[in-house]
Amino acid sequence: MQETRSAKLFRIVVLAVLTVFTAVPIYVMVSSSLKPLGDVQGAFSWWPETFTIAPFIEMWETVPLADYFLNSIIVSVSATLISLVIAVFAAYSLSRYRFRGRGLFSTSILSTQMFPGILFLLPLFLIFVNIDQVLGVQLVGTRIGLIITYLTFSLPFSIWMLAGYFDGIPRELDEAAKVDGCSPMNALMRVVLPAAKPGLVAVAIYSFMTAWGEVLFASVMTTNANRTIAVGLTLYSTQTNIYWNQIMAASLVVSIPVVIGFLILQRYFVAGLTSGAVK
C-alpha cells in the first residue's frame, strides 16, 4: 500500500519533533561539559564562549569516579551473567516441559513486574541484615548483596522473555538433536541457544542496563568503598557548590559503555524483544 502525501508529511513532522526532543538535551549536556563552571552557573548560552576540557580531567579528582566505574562494571557484568545463566535453564524448562505448578510459576514471575521497585527496598534490607546476624554473611554494603538485589528485578523478566522466545523455536530441532544422540543438555547448548541468540542478547542488554543505571538500591546497599557509578554522579553536588560541568562530563563518560554496546548489538536486541513479546 502506497503511503499518501499527508501521511508521509505527518511521519516526517513526528520524526523531526522526536529528533529535536532527543538531540537538544544531549547537545546541552555536551556543550555544558566543555564550559568553565562559572559559565555554566551564569546565564545560559547555546554556544560555549570559552572551550575547555578541564571538566573531563577534574571529574576524576573531585569524585573517585574510576573506583565507582569499576564497581559498576563488576556488579553489572556479574548480575547480567548470573541472570542470563539462570534464565536460560528456567525458561527452557517452562517452554519444553509440562510439570505441576508450571502455570503458577509463570504467573508468579510475571506478577513481580507489577510492583514498584521501592516496595522491595525495606524487605530486602531487613532480609540481608537478618542473614548477617544469623549466618554471619554480610550482604549490606557489599557488591555481592547488590548483585543479588539486581537479580530480583532482572531475573523474572529475563525468564519470561526467554520462555516466550524459546516457544518460537520449533521443538523439532530438539527432537532431531536427540535422535542424533544429544542429551537434553547438549540439545539446549548446541541447537537451541544458537537459534536463540537474539533473545539472549536482548536479555543481557536489559539486565546490564538495569544494573548500570539503578540508583535507589545502590544508594542504600553500598558504602563509600563500593558505590556504583550512578550513585557517584550525585556526589558532584556538595553543600557549597554543584559542579554542573563535571556532572555533564561524567554523565557522557558513563553513557559510553551502554551506547557502544547497544549500537553493536541493536539488531539482536530488537529481534529478541519482538520475538519474545509474541507468545
Side-chain angles (χ1 to χ4, degrees):
M1 184 176 179
Q2 189 174 3
E3 187 179 24
T4 61
R5 179 176 298 180
S6 58
K8 183 178 180 180
L9 179 61
F10 177 77
R11 178 171 57 85
I12 294 175
V13 171
V14 171
L15 290 177
V17 171
L18 292 177
T19 301
V20 172
F21 185 78
T22 304
V24 169
I26 297 177
Y27 173 78
V28 172
M29 182 183 299
V30 174
S31 62
S32 299
S33 66
L34 296 173
K35 296 178 181 179
L37 182 59
D39 292 352
V40 179
Q41 293 176 334
F44 176 77
S45 61
W46 288 99
W47 190 256
E49 297 181 2
T50 303
F51 281 92
T52 177
I53 62 171
F56 288 92
I57 300 174
E58 296 170 352
M59 68 179 187
W60 304 99
E61 302 173 357
T62 304
V63 170
L65 196 65
D67 296 336
Y68 299 157
F69 201 92
L70 178 61
N71 290 333
S72 288
I73 289 290
I74 295 174
V75 170
S76 300
V77 171
S78 300
T80 299
L81 293 178
I82 296 173
S83 177
L84 191 62
V85 171
I86 297 176
V88 163
F89 292 106
Y92 186 74
S93 300
L94 286 174
S95 175
R96 293 299 192 263
Y97 299 100
R98 299 296 180 266
F99 51 88
R100 181 176 298 179
R102 177 179 177 274
L104 178 61
F105 180 67
S106 300
T107 304
S108 300
I109 290 175
L110 191 57
S111 64
T112 59
Q113 304 302 307
M114 299 188 301
F115 302 101
I118 193 173
L119 188 66
F120 301 100
L121 179 59
L122 182 58
L124 278 174
F125 183 81
L126 293 178
I127 290 173
F128 287 172
V129 170
N130 290 329
I131 289 176
D132 188 12
Q133 293 177 349
V134 176
L135 302 178
V137 179
Q138 183 179 358
L139 295 177
V140 177
T142 64
R143 293 171 179 166
I144 297 177
L146 196 58
I147 292 171
I148 295 174
T149 300
Y150 289 154
L151 288 177
T152 62
F153 300 107
S154 62
L155 191 55
F157 180 81
S158 299
I159 294 174
W160 175 74
M161 189 167 69
L162 274 182
Y165 198 91
F166 286 155
D167 286 342
I169 298 177
R171 296 175 180 268
E172 288 76 11
L173 292 177
D174 304 49
E175 297 172 357
K178 293 176 182 178
V179 169
D180 291 339
C182 289
S183 63
M185 179 63 70
N186 287 334
L188 171 63
M189 296 297 177
R190 297 183 179 182
V191 178
V192 178
L193 289 187
K197 184 183 295 184
L200 299 176
V201 172
V203 167
I205 293 177
Y206 169 80
S207 301
F208 184 84
M209 293 180 66
T210 299
W212 185 262
E214 201 280 326
V215 177
L216 177 62
F217 287 85
S219 61
V220 176
M221 298 292 187
T222 59
T223 61
N224 293 333
N226 47 46
R227 281 197 177 103
T228 59
I229 198 74
V231 180
L233 290 177
T234 64
L235 301 181
Y236 288 100
S237 175
T238 65
Q239 294 181 349
T240 58
N241 205 352
I242 300 178
Y243 300 94
W244 288 111
N245 54 348
Q246 296 184 36
I247 292 177
M248 299 302 177
S251 299
L252 289 173
V253 173
V254 168
S255 303
I256 290 176
V258 177
V259 172
I260 293 178
F262 184 82
L263 291 177
I264 295 175
L265 303 173
Q266 62 176 332
R267 60 191 182 97
Y268 296 108
F269 181 68
V270 174
L273 283 180
T274 54
S275 299
V278 180
K279 215 176 165 183

